[in-house]
Amino acid sequence: MERDRYVDFLRAWAIVLVVVGHWVITGLERHPDGTIGAPELLATVPWTQWLTLGFQIMPLFFLAGGHAAAGSWARTLTLGGSAAACPP
């Protein structure tokens, strides 16, 4: 049984979007006294809250991971393995 490259792509894409999403919501600002603050962009600029709809990635990540795990489980059963046995 071959690896499903599309599922691999979805898992990698989900991780990239999680990192980018967290990076985007942080906006650094320099205060007049020279200190640097990092207010949450979603609270500071309300229209950006709609952008979070495009970053609902965790369901995709878990579905792709479950699909990959199911393939691994099916392969193990095909080769005569079980949940209790140690991998060869």
Coordinates of all heavy atoms in Angstrom, one line a residue:
M1 N 0.8 -1.2 0.0 CA 0.0 0.0 0.0 C 0.9 1.2 0.0 O 1.8 1.4 0.8 CB -0.9 0.0 1.3 CG -1.9 1.1 1.3 SD -2.9 1.0 2.8 CE -4.3 0.1 2.2
E2 N 0.6 2.2 -0.9 CA 1.4 3.4 -1.1 C 1.0 4.5 -0.1 O -0.2 4.5 0.3 CB 1.3 3.9 -2.5 CG 2.1 3.1 -3.5 CD 2.1 3.8 -4.9 OE1 2.0 5.0 -4.9 OE2 2.1 3.0 -5.9
R3 N 1.9 5.4 0.2 CA 1.5 6.6 1.0 C 0.6 7.4 0.2 O 0.7 7.5 -1.1 CB 2.7 7.4 1.3 CG 3.6 6.7 2.4 CD 4.8 7.7 2.7 NE 4.3 8.9 3.4 CZ 4.3 9.0 4.7 NH1 4.7 8.1 5.5 NH2 3.8 10.1 5.2
D4 N -0.4 8.0 0.8 CA -1.3 8.9 0.2 C -0.6 10.3 0.2 O -0.7 11.0 1.3 CB -2.6 8.9 0.9 CG -3.7 9.7 0.1 OD1 -3.4 10.4 -0.8 OD2 -4.9 9.4 0.4
R5 N -0.1 10.8 -0.9 CA 0.7 12.0 -0.9 C -0.2 13.2 -0.7 O 0.2 14.2 -0.2 CB 1.4 12.2 -2.2 CG 2.5 11.1 -2.5 CD 3.6 11.3 -1.4 NE 4.6 10.3 -1.7 CZ 5.5 10.0 -0.8 NH1 5.6 10.6 0.3 NH2 6.4 9.0 -1.1
Y6 N -1.5 13.1 -1.1 CA -2.4 14.2 -0.9 C -2.7 14.4 0.7 O -2.7 15.5 1.1 CB -3.8 13.9 -1.6 CG -4.7 15.1 -1.4 CD1 -4.5 16.3 -2.0 CD2 -5.9 14.9 -0.7 CE1 -5.4 17.3 -1.9 CE2 -6.8 15.9 -0.6 CZ -6.5 17.1 -1.2 OH -7.4 18.2 -1.0
V7 N -2.8 13.3 1.4 CA -3.0 13.4 2.8 C -1.7 14.0 3.5 O -1.8 14.9 4.4 CB -3.3 12.1 3.5 CG1 -3.3 12.1 5.0 CG2 -4.7 11.6 3.0
D8 N -0.5 13.6 3.0 CA 0.7 14.2 3.5 C 0.7 15.7 3.2 O 1.1 16.5 4.1 CB 1.9 13.6 2.8 CG 2.1 12.1 3.3 OD1 1.6 11.8 4.3 OD2 2.9 11.4 2.6
F9 N 0.3 16.1 2.0 CA 0.2 17.5 1.7 C -0.8 18.3 2.6 O -0.4 19.3 3.1 CB -0.2 17.7 0.2 CG -0.7 19.1 -0.1 CD1 0.3 20.1 -0.3 CD2 -2.0 19.4 -0.2 CE1 -0.1 21.4 -0.6 CE2 -2.4 20.7 -0.5 CZ -1.4 21.7 -0.7
L10 N -1.9 17.7 2.9 CA -2.9 18.3 3.8 C -2.3 18.5 5.2 O -2.5 19.6 5.8 CB -4.2 17.5 3.8 CG -5.1 17.6 2.6 CD1 -6.3 16.7 2.7 CD2 -5.5 19.0 2.2
R11 N -1.6 17.5 5.7 CA -1.1 17.6 7.0 C 0.0 18.7 7.0 O 0.1 19.6 7.9 CB -0.5 16.3 7.4 CG -1.5 15.2 7.6 CD -0.9 13.9 7.8 NE -0.3 13.7 9.1 CZ 0.3 12.7 9.5 NH1 0.6 11.7 8.7 NH2 0.8 12.6 10.7
A12 N 0.9 18.8 6.0 CA 1.9 19.8 6.0 C 1.3 21.2 5.8 O 1.7 22.2 6.4 CB 2.9 19.5 4.8
W13 N 0.3 21.3 4.9 CA -0.4 22.6 4.7 C -1.1 23.1 6.0 O -1.0 24.3 6.3 CB -1.4 22.5 3.6 CG -2.1 23.7 3.2 CD1 -3.4 24.0 3.3 CD2 -1.5 24.9 2.7 NE1 -3.7 25.2 2.9 CE2 -2.6 25.8 2.5 CE3 -0.2 25.3 2.4 CZ2 -2.3 27.1 2.0 CZ3 0.0 26.6 1.9 CH2 -1.0 27.5 1.7
A14 N -1.7 22.2 6.7 CA -2.3 22.6 8.0 C -1.3 23.1 9.0 O -1.5 24.1 9.6 CB -3.1 21.4 8.6
I15 N -0.2 22.5 9.1 CA 0.9 23.0 10.0 C 1.4 24.4 9.6 O 1.5 25.3 10.4 CB 2.1 22.0 10.1 CG1 1.6 20.7 10.8 CG2 3.3 22.6 10.8 CD1 2.6 19.6 10.7
V16 N 1.6 24.5 8.2 CA 2.0 25.8 7.7 C 1.0 26.9 8.1 O 1.4 28.0 8.5 CB 2.3 25.8 6.2 CG1 2.4 27.2 5.6 CG2 3.5 24.9 5.9
L17 N -0.3 26.6 7.9 CA -1.3 27.6 8.1 C -1.4 27.9 9.6 O -1.7 29.1 10.0 CB -2.6 27.2 7.6 CG -2.8 27.3 6.0 CD1 -4.1 26.8 5.6 CD2 -2.5 28.7 5.5
V18 N -1.2 27.0 10.5 CA -1.2 27.3 11.9 C -0.1 28.2 12.3 O -0.3 29.2 13.0 CB -1.2 25.9 12.7 CG1 -0.9 26.2 14.2 CG2 -2.4 25.2 12.6
V19 N 1.1 28.0 11.8 CA 2.2 28.8 12.0 C 2.0 30.2 11.5 O 2.2 31.2 12.2 CB 3.5 28.2 11.5 CG1 4.7 29.2 11.6 CG2 3.9 26.9 12.2
V20 N 1.5 30.3 10.2 CA 1.3 31.6 9.6 C 0.2 32.4 10.4 O 0.3 33.6 10.6 CB 0.9 31.5 8.1 CG1 0.4 32.7 7.5 CG2 2.1 31.0 7.3
G21 N -0.9 31.6 10.7 CA -2.0 32.3 11.5 C -1.5 32.9 12.8 O -1.9 34.0 13.1
H22 N -0.7 32.2 13.5 CA -0.2 32.7 14.8 C 0.7 33.9 14.5 O 0.8 34.8 15.3 CB 0.5 31.6 15.6 CG -0.5 30.7 16.3 ND1 -1.0 29.6 15.7 CD2 -1.1 30.8 17.5 CE1 -1.8 29.0 16.5 NE2 -1.9 29.7 17.6
W23 N 1.5 33.8 13.5 CA 2.4 34.9 13.2 C 1.6 36.2 12.8 O 2.0 37.3 13.2 CB 3.3 34.5 12.0 CG 4.3 35.5 11.6 CD1 5.3 36.0 12.3 CD2 4.2 36.3 10.4 NE1 6.0 37.0 11.5 CE2 5.3 37.2 10.4 CE3 3.4 36.2 9.3 CZ2 5.5 38.0 9.3 CZ3 3.6 37.1 8.2 CH2 4.7 38.0 8.2
V24 N 0.6 36.0 12.0 CA -0.2 37.1 11.5 C -1.0 37.9 12.7 O -1.1 39.1 12.6 CB -1.2 36.7 10.4 CG1 -2.2 37.7 10.1 CG2 -0.4 36.3 9.2
I25 N -1.4 37.2 13.7 CA -2.2 37.8 14.7 C -1.4 38.6 15.7 O -1.9 39.3 16.5 CB -3.1 36.9 15.5 CG1 -2.3 35.9 16.3 CG2 -4.1 36.1 14.6 CD1 -3.1 35.1 17.3
T26 N -0.1 38.6 15.5 CA 0.8 39.4 16.4 C 1.3 40.6 15.7 O 2.0 40.4 14.6 CB 2.0 38.5 16.9 OG1 1.4 37.4 17.6 CG2 2.8 39.3 17.9
G27 N 1.0 41.7 16.1 CA 1.5 42.9 15.5 C 2.4 43.7 16.5 O 1.8 44.1 17.6
L28 N 3.6 43.9 16.3 CA 4.5 44.6 17.2 C 4.3 46.1 17.0 O 4.2 46.6 15.9 CB 6.0 44.2 17.0 CG 6.3 42.7 17.2 CD1 7.8 42.5 16.9 CD2 6.0 42.4 18.6
E29 N 4.4 46.8 18.1 CA 4.3 48.3 18.0 C 5.3 48.9 19.0 O 5.5 48.3 20.1 CB 2.9 48.8 18.3 CG 2.4 48.5 19.7 CD 1.0 49.0 20.0 OE1 0.3 49.3 19.0 OE2 0.6 49.0 21.1
R30 N 5.8 50.0 18.6 CA 6.7 50.7 19.5 C 6.0 51.9 20.2 O 5.4 52.7 19.5 CB 7.9 51.2 18.7 CG 8.9 51.9 19.6 CD 10.1 52.4 18.8 NE 11.3 52.1 19.6 CZ 12.4 51.7 19.2 NH1 12.6 51.5 17.9 NH2 13.4 51.5 20.0
H31 N 6.1 51.9 21.5 CA 5.4 53.0 22.2 C 6.3 54.2 22.3 O 7.5 54.1 22.1 CB 5.1 52.5 23.7 CG 4.2 51.3 23.7 ND1 2.8 51.4 23.4 CD2 4.4 50.0 23.9 CE1 2.3 50.2 23.5 NE2 3.3 49.3 23.8
P32 N 5.7 55.4 22.5 CA 6.5 56.6 22.6 C 7.7 56.6 23.6 O 8.7 57.2 23.4 CB 5.5 57.7 23.0 CG 4.2 57.2 22.6 CD 4.3 55.7 22.7
D33 N 7.5 55.8 24.7 CA 8.6 55.7 25.6 C 9.7 54.7 25.2 O 10.6 54.4 26.0 CB 8.0 55.3 27.0 CG 7.4 53.9 27.0 OD1 7.3 53.3 26.0 OD2 7.0 53.5 28.1
G34 N 9.6 54.1 24.0 CA 10.6 53.2 23.5 C 10.3 51.7 23.8 O 11.1 50.9 23.2
T35 N 9.3 51.4 24.6 CA 9.0 50.0 24.8 C 8.3 49.4 23.6 O 7.7 50.1 22.8 CB 8.2 49.8 26.1 OG1 6.9 50.5 25.9 CG2 8.9 50.3 27.3
I36 N 8.4 48.1 23.5 CA 7.7 47.4 22.4 C 6.6 46.6 23.0 O 6.7 45.9 24.0 CB 8.7 46.5 21.6 CG1 9.7 47.4 21.0 CG2 7.9 45.7 20.6 CD1 10.8 46.6 20.2
G37 N 5.4 46.7 22.4 CA 4.2 46.0 22.8 C 3.8 45.0 21.7 O 4.1 45.2 20.5
A38 N 3.0 44.1 22.0 CA 2.5 43.1 21.1 C 1.0 42.9 21.3 O 0.6 41.9 21.8 CB 3.2 41.8 21.1
P39 N 0.2 43.9 21.0 CA -1.3 43.7 21.2 C -1.8 42.7 20.2 O -1.3 42.5 19.1 CB -1.8 45.1 20.9 CG -0.9 45.7 19.9 CD 0.5 45.2 20.3
E40 N -2.9 42.0 20.6 CA -3.5 41.0 19.8 C -4.2 41.7 18.6 O -5.1 42.6 18.9 CB -4.4 40.2 20.6 CG -5.0 39.0 19.7 CD -5.9 38.1 20.5 OE1 -6.0 38.3 21.7 OE2 -6.6 37.3 19.9
L41 N -3.9 41.4 17.4 CA -4.4 42.1 16.2 C -6.0 41.9 16.2 O -6.7 42.8 15.8 CB -3.8 41.5 15.0 CG -4.2 42.1 13.7 CD1 -3.8 43.6 13.6 CD2 -3.6 41.4 12.5
L42 N -6.4 40.7 16.6 CA -7.9 40.5 16.5 C -8.7 41.4 17.4 O -9.8 41.7 17.1 CB -8.2 39.0 16.9 CG -7.6 38.0 15.9 CD1 -7.8 36.6 16.5 CD2 -8.1 38.1 14.5
A43 N -8.1 41.8 18.5 CA -8.8 42.8 19.4 C -8.6 44.2 19.0 O -9.5 45.0 19.2 CB -8.3 42.6 20.8
T44 N -7.5 44.5 18.4 CA -7.1 45.9 18.0 C -7.8 46.3 16.7 O -8.3 47.4 16.6 CB -5.6 46.0 17.8 OG1 -5.0 45.5 19.0 CG2 -5.2 47.4 17.6
V45 N -7.9 45.4 15.7 CA -8.5 45.6 14.4 C -9.6 44.6 14.2 O -9.4 43.5 13.7 CB -7.4 45.5 13.3 CG1 -8.0 45.9 12.0 CG2 -6.2 46.3 13.6
P46 N -10.8 45.0 14.6 CA -12.0 44.0 14.6 C -12.3 43.3 13.3 O -12.7 42.2 13.3 CB -13.2 44.9 15.0 CG -12.5 46.0 15.8 CD -11.2 46.3 15.1
W47 N -12.0 44.0 12.1 CA -12.4 43.3 10.9 C -11.5 42.1 10.6 O -11.9 41.2 9.8 CB -12.3 44.3 9.7 CG -10.9 44.8 9.4 CD1 -10.3 45.9 9.8 CD2 -9.9 44.2 8.5 NE1 -9.1 46.1 9.3 CE2 -8.8 45.0 8.5 CE3 -9.9 43.0 7.8 CZ2 -7.7 44.6 7.8 CZ3 -8.8 42.7 7.1 CH2 -7.7 43.5 7.1
T48 N -10.4 42.0 11.3 CA -9.5 40.9 11.1 C -10.1 39.6 11.7 O -9.6 38.5 11.4 CB -8.1 41.1 11.7 OG1 -8.2 41.4 13.1 CG2 -7.4 42.3 11.0
Q49 N -11.1 39.7 12.6 CA -11.7 38.6 13.2 C -12.3 37.6 12.1 O -12.3 36.4 12.3 CB -12.7 39.0 14.2 CG -12.1 39.7 15.4 CD -13.2 40.3 16.2 OE1 -14.4 40.2 16.0 NE2 -12.7 41.1 17.3
W50 N -12.7 38.2 11.0 CA -13.3 37.4 9.9 C -12.2 36.6 9.2 O -12.5 35.5 8.6 CB -14.0 38.3 8.9 CG -15.2 38.9 9.4 CD1 -15.4 40.1 9.9 CD2 -16.5 38.2 9.4 NE1 -16.7 40.3 10.3 CE2 -17.4 39.1 10.0 CE3 -16.9 36.9 9.1 CZ2 -18.7 38.8 10.2 CZ3 -18.3 36.6 9.3 CH2 -19.2 37.5 9.9
L51 N -11.0 37.0 9.3 CA -9.9 36.2 8.7 C -9.7 34.9 9.4 O -9.2 33.9 8.8 CB -8.6 37.0 8.8 CG -8.5 38.3 8.0 CD1 -7.2 39.0 8.2 CD2 -8.7 38.0 6.5
T52 N -10.1 34.7 10.6 CA -9.9 33.5 11.3 C -10.8 32.3 10.7 O -10.4 31.2 10.9 CB -10.3 33.6 12.8 OG1 -11.7 34.0 12.9 CG2 -9.5 34.7 13.5
L53 N -11.8 32.7 10.0 CA -12.6 31.6 9.3 C -11.7 30.9 8.3 O -12.0 29.7 8.1 CB -13.8 32.2 8.6 CG -14.8 32.8 9.5 CD1 -15.9 33.5 8.7 CD2 -15.4 31.8 10.4
G54 N -10.8 31.5 7.7 CA -9.9 30.8 6.8 C -8.8 30.0 7.4 O -8.1 29.3 6.8
F55 N -8.7 30.2 8.7 CA -7.6 29.5 9.5 C -8.1 28.4 10.4 O -7.5 28.1 11.4 CB -6.8 30.5 10.3 CG -5.8 31.3 9.4 CD1 -6.2 32.5 8.9 CD2 -4.6 30.8 9.0 CE1 -5.3 33.2 8.1 CE2 -3.7 31.5 8.2 CZ -4.1 32.7 7.7
Q56 N -9.3 27.9 10.1 CA -9.9 26.8 10.9 C -9.3 25.5 10.4 O -9.9 24.7 9.7 CB -11.4 26.8 10.8 CG -12.1 28.0 11.4 CD -11.7 28.2 12.9 OE1 -11.8 27.2 13.6 NE2 -11.4 29.4 13.2
I57 N -8.0 25.2 10.8 CA -7.2 24.2 10.2 C -7.2 22.9 11.1 O -7.0 21.8 10.6 CB -5.8 24.7 10.1 CG1 -5.7 26.0 9.3 CG2 -4.9 23.7 9.4 CD1 -6.3 25.9 8.0
M58 N -7.4 23.0 12.4 CA -7.3 21.9 13.2 C -8.2 20.7 12.8 O -7.7 19.5 12.9 CB -7.4 22.3 14.7 CG -6.4 23.2 15.2 SD -4.7 22.7 14.8 CE -4.4 21.3 15.8
P59 N -9.4 20.9 12.5 CA -10.2 19.8 12.0 C -9.6 19.1 10.8 O -9.6 17.8 10.8 CB -11.6 20.4 11.6 CG -11.7 21.6 12.5 CD -10.2 22.1 12.5
L60 N -9.1 19.8 9.9 CA -8.4 19.2 8.7 C -7.2 18.4 9.1 O -7.0 17.3 8.7 CB -8.0 20.3 7.7 CG -7.2 19.9 6.5 CD1 -7.9 19.0 5.6 CD2 -6.7 21.1 5.8
F61 N -6.4 19.0 10.0 CA -5.2 18.3 10.5 C -5.6 17.0 11.2 O -4.9 16.0 11.0 CB -4.5 19.3 11.5 CG -3.2 18.7 12.0 CD1 -2.1 18.6 11.2 CD2 -3.0 18.2 13.3 CE1 -0.9 18.1 11.6 CE2 -1.8 17.7 13.7 CZ -0.8 17.7 12.9
F62 N -6.6 17.0 12.1 CA -7.0 15.8 12.7 C -7.6 14.7 11.8 O -7.4 13.5 12.0 CB -7.9 16.1 13.9 CG -7.2 16.7 15.1 CD1 -7.6 18.0 15.5 CD2 -6.1 16.1 15.7 CE1 -6.9 18.6 16.6 CE2 -5.5 16.7 16.7 CZ -5.8 17.9 17.2
L63 N -8.4 15.2 10.8 CA -8.9 14.2 9.9 C -7.8 13.6 9.0 O -7.8 12.4 8.8 CB -9.9 14.9 9.0 CG -11.3 15.3 9.6 CD1 -12.1 16.1 8.7 CD2 -12.0 14.0 10.0
A64 N -6.9 14.4 8.6 CA -5.8 13.9 7.8 C -4.9 12.9 8.6 O -4.5 11.8 8.1 CB -4.9 15.0 7.2
G65 N -4.7 13.3 9.9 CA -3.9 12.4 10.7 C -4.6 11.1 11.0 O -4.0 10.0 11.1
G66 N -6.0 11.2 11.2 CA -6.8 10.0 11.4 C -6.8 9.1 10.2 O -6.7 7.8 10.3
H67 N -6.8 9.7 9.0 CA -6.8 8.9 7.8 C -5.4 8.2 7.7 O -5.4 7.0 7.3 CB -7.0 9.8 6.6 CG -6.9 9.1 5.3 ND1 -8.0 8.3 4.8 CD2 -5.9 9.0 4.3 CE1 -7.6 7.8 3.6 NE2 -6.4 8.3 3.3
A68 N -4.4 8.9 8.0 CA -3.0 8.3 7.9 C -2.9 7.1 8.9 O -2.3 6.1 8.7 CB -1.9 9.3 8.1
A69 N -3.4 7.3 10.1 CA -3.4 6.3 11.2 C -4.2 5.1 10.8 O -3.8 4.0 11.0 CB -3.9 6.9 12.5
A70 N -5.4 5.3 10.1 CA -6.2 4.2 9.7 C -5.5 3.4 8.6 O -5.6 2.1 8.6 CB -7.5 4.7 9.1
G71 N -4.7 4.0 7.7 CA -4.0 3.3 6.7 C -2.9 2.5 7.4 O -2.6 1.3 7.0
S72 N -2.2 3.0 8.4 CA -1.2 2.3 9.1 C -1.8 1.1 9.8 O -1.2 0.0 9.9 CB -0.5 3.3 10.1 OG 0.5 2.6 10.9
W73 N -2.9 1.3 10.5 CA -3.6 0.2 11.2 C -4.0 -0.9 10.2 O -3.8 -2.1 10.5 CB -4.8 0.8 11.9 CG -5.6 -0.3 12.6 CD1 -6.9 -0.7 12.4 CD2 -5.2 -1.1 13.7 NE1 -7.3 -1.6 13.2 CE2 -6.2 -1.9 14.1 CE3 -4.0 -1.1 14.5 CZ2 -6.2 -2.8 15.1 CZ3 -3.9 -2.1 15.5 CH2 -5.0 -2.9 15.8
A74 N -4.5 -0.5 9.1 CA -4.9 -1.5 8.1 C -3.7 -2.3 7.6 O -3.8 -3.5 7.4 CB -5.6 -0.9 6.9
R75 N -2.6 -1.6 7.4 CA -1.4 -2.3 6.9 C -0.9 -3.3 8.0 O -0.4 -4.4 7.7 CB -0.3 -1.2 6.6 CG 0.5 -1.4 5.4 CD 1.4 -0.3 5.0 NE 1.5 0.8 5.9 CZ 0.9 2.0 5.8 NH1 0.0 2.1 4.9 NH2 1.1 3.0 6.6
T76 N -1.0 -2.9 9.3 CA -0.5 -3.7 10.3 C -1.4 -5.0 10.4 O -0.8 -6.1 10.6 CB -0.6 -3.0 11.7 OG1 0.3 -1.9 11.6 CG2 -0.2 -3.9 12.9
L77 N -2.7 -4.8 10.3 CA -3.6 -6.0 10.3 C -3.3 -6.9 9.1 O -3.4 -8.1 9.2 CB -5.0 -5.6 10.3 CG -5.5 -4.9 11.6 CD1 -6.9 -4.4 11.5 CD2 -5.3 -5.8 12.8
T78 N -3.1 -6.3 7.9 CA -2.8 -7.1 6.7 C -1.5 -8.0 6.9 O -1.4 -9.1 6.4 CB -2.6 -6.2 5.5 OG1 -3.8 -5.4 5.3 CG2 -2.3 -7.0 4.3
L79 N -0.5 -7.4 7.6 CA 0.7 -8.1 7.8 C 0.7 -9.1 9.0 O 1.7 -9.7 9.4 CB 1.9 -7.1 8.0 CG 2.2 -6.2 6.8 CD1 3.2 -5.2 7.2 CD2 2.6 -7.1 5.6
G80 N -0.5 -9.2 9.6 CA -0.7 -10.2 10.7 C -0.4 -9.6 12.1 O -0.3 -10.3 13.1
G81 N -0.3 -8.3 12.2 CA 0.0 -7.6 13.4 C -1.2 -7.4 14.2 O -2.4 -7.7 13.8
S82 N -1.0 -7.0 15.5 CA -2.2 -6.6 16.3 C -1.8 -5.4 17.2 O -0.6 -5.0 17.2 CB -2.5 -7.8 17.2 OG -1.5 -8.0 18.2
A83 N -2.8 -4.9 17.9 CA -2.5 -3.8 18.8 C -1.6 -4.1 19.9 O -0.9 -3.3 20.4 CB -3.9 -3.2 19.3
A84 N -1.7 -5.4 20.4 CA -0.9 -5.8 21.5 C 0.6 -6.1 21.2 O 1.4 -6.1 22.0 CB -1.6 -7.0 22.2
A85 N 0.8 -6.5 19.9 CA 2.1 -6.9 19.5 C 3.0 -5.7 19.3 O 2.6 -4.6 18.9 CB 2.1 -7.7 18.2
C86 N 4.3 -5.8 19.6 CA 5.3 -4.8 19.3 C 5.6 -4.8 17.9 O 5.5 -5.8 17.2 CB 6.6 -5.1 20.1 SG 6.4 -5.0 21.9
P87 N 5.9 -3.6 17.3 CA 6.2 -3.5 15.9 C 7.5 -4.3 15.6 O 8.4 -4.4 16.4 CB 6.4 -2.0 15.6 CG 6.3 -1.3 16.9 CD 5.9 -2.3 17.9
P88 N 7.6 -4.9 14.4 CA 8.7 -5.7 14.1 C 10.0 -4.9 13.9 O 10.0 -3.7 13.7 CB 8.4 -6.4 12.8 CG 7.2 -5.6 12.2 CD 6.6 -4.9 13.3

